[in-house]
Amino acid sequence: MFMGEYQHNIDAKGRVIVPARFREELGERFVVTKGLDKCLFVYPLKEWSRLEEKLKVLPLTSADARKFVRYFFAGAIECEVDTQGRIVLPQNLRAYASLEKHIVSIGVAERVEIWNKDKWETYNDEENFVDNELAAKMAEFGI
């Protein structure tokens, strides 16, 4: 399970360090794709396969399902960690998530998310980030 928050930089070539704790669970190769909330989602291959199976059974006749599947697959790339613990993020993914210099990697259970540092701080610092209303909604899911 992924958890924690790590701040680091992305260089001019799009290289970013994958935190050691995340590398252990991600393995040598993993998938990075466009996430929700303008961040990137990073999945170990096993978890990506599970997601892929769920997406493949969505009805082809549903425009929303087709759009959602395209969104995840078109933005996806398989990455491999180099000897210095870095991956190269392609320009299209960096642009999507506004990754320029300072970034934050966070663990979110089965995946890692990569955020623009300023966007993460704004998102994370919103008043009542996890408030009673949100907690009540999560209770509907048995949390």
Side-chain angles (χ1 to χ4, degrees), residues 126-138:
E126 288 178 4
E127 188 174 327
N128 298 318
F129 177 66
V130 176
D131 59 13
N132 290 332
E133 185 178 332
L134 178 57
K137 287 179 184 176
M138 293 300 100

Side-chain angles (χ1 to χ4, degrees), residues 12-139:
K13 295 180 181 178
R15 294 178 298 199
V16 62
I17 290 177
V18 178
R21 289 186 185 251
F22 291 166
R23 283 196 310 264
E24 292 171 12
E25 285 199 51
L26 286 169
E28 299 270 330
R29 296 179 311 131
F30 45 86
V31 175
V32 179
T33 191
K34 293 177 184 175
L36 304 174
D37 302 313
K38 291 292 188 180
C39 69
L40 301 180
F41 286 176
V42 183
Y43 292 98
L45 291 179
K46 186 175 180 179
E47 192 62 41
W48 177 256
S49 293
R50 285 189 201 130
L51 177 61
E52 183 180 9
E53 291 305 314
K54 291 178 184 179
L55 293 174
K56 285 185 345 187
V57 298
L58 292 175
L60 186 59
T61 55
S62 167
D64 287 340
R66 290 191 311 270
K67 186 175 183 179
F68 195 71
V69 169
R70 286 180 187 130
Y71 174 81
F72 269 97
F73 282 95
I77 183 169
E78 191 172 304
C79 292
E80 191 168 346
V81 179
D82 69 13
T83 57
Q84 294 179 322
R86 304 173 302 186
I87 58 170
V88 177
L89 295 174
Q91 177 56 38
N92 65 316
L93 292 180
R94 293 193 318 262
Y96 169 79
S98 302
L99 303 178
E100 295 161 359
K101 179 75 174 159
H102 305 291
I103 65 172
V104 178
S105 296
I106 63 170
V108 187
E110 78 285 349
R111 71 177 180 274
V112 172
E113 294 181 355
I114 301 174
W115 286 76
N116 167 295
K117 183 179 183 239
D118 293 335
K119 287 186 177 191
W120 170 248
E121 287 175 352
T122 299
Y123 180 82
N124 198 29
D125 289 342
E126 288 178 4
E127 188 174 327
N128 298 318
F129 177 66
V130 176
D131 59 13
N132 290 332
E133 185 178 332
L134 178 57
K137 287 179 184 176
M138 293 300 100

